Amino acid sequence: MRQAFLLFSHQLTKSQQDELENKFKVDKIIYLPPDLQSIWSNVAPELPSIKDYLKEIFCWLKEHSKPNDIVLVQGEFGAVFLTANFCVKEGLVPIYSTTKRNVTETILDDETIQMERNFVHVRFREFEKW
């Protein structure tokens, strides 16, 4: 059984779930527990280092995952970088979602610009080693 752990801040779309199940052969999709989700979604920009801040998430992954499990990693850049490296070291497969962005700009009467952005999932991509 292959599991996918979700380290990001929203729910999977149907197309994302289908891709995990069909392309990556995932049998079980696991979201972070609420306390760890709060840590992942609220990385304080004031911290000089976030290794210790993410320690609980890394411990949870070690405890619940096995080699070759998928970890969908998206969020604060430094947290993503550290987590992707952690996953590779632990034999997990870190991936991220690629999207097509559709942007509409409207100039309002007060000369401000209103932007609407829609993101459409294209595919998951594995983090590659150099």
Side-chain angles (χ1 to χ4, degrees):
M1 181 165 87
R2 192 176 201 192
Q3 304 175 109
F5 294 88
L6 307 183
L7 277 65
F8 71 150
S9 296
H10 60 84
Q11 299 292 310
L12 284 179
T13 65
K14 176 76 171 112
S15 65
Q16 289 174 321
Q17 184 172 335
D18 289 346
E19 185 177 354
L20 286 173
E21 292 170 354
N22 297 319
K23 179 182 176 189
F24 291 94
K25 306 300 183 206
V26 166
D27 302 300
K28 186 175 182 183
I29 296 171
I30 302 168
Y31 286 87
L32 284 170
D35 58 329
L36 297 180
Q37 183 64 56
S38 181
I39 290 170
W40 185 257
S41 297
N42 297 293
V43 177
E46 298 82 14
L47 295 172
S49 171
I50 58 173
K51 273 186 180 178
D52 287 340
Y53 179 82
L54 297 172
K55 189 181 269 184
E56 286 182 67
I57 292 173
F58 295 161
C59 288
W60 180 80
L61 275 173
K62 269 186 162 182
E63 184 178 325
H64 293 90
S65 67
K66 62 186 181 321
N68 205 37
D69 278 345
I70 299 291
V71 183
L72 173 55
V73 186
Q74 292 198 196
E76 193 269 345
F77 183 81
V80 168
F81 179 82
L82 287 171
T83 303
N85 282 312
F86 169 84
C87 289
V88 169
K89 182 179 148 230
E90 295 296 318
L92 304 171
V93 180
I95 63 172
Y96 60 97
S97 177
T98 65
T99 58
K100 180 177 181 179
R101 293 171 169 92
N102 300 314
V103 180
T104 304
E105 293 183 9
T106 306
I107 300 175
L108 302 177
D109 292 340
D110 66 356
E111 297 293 318
T112 59
I113 298 173
Q114 179 180 0
M115 297 177 74
E116 180 180 324
R117 299 172 189 207
N118 294 307
F119 298 88
V120 179
H121 174 73
V122 175
R123 63 168 294 146
F124 289 119
R125 185 181 295 146
E126 287 186 38
F127 283 86
E128 297 179 74
K129 295 178 246 177
W130 190 253

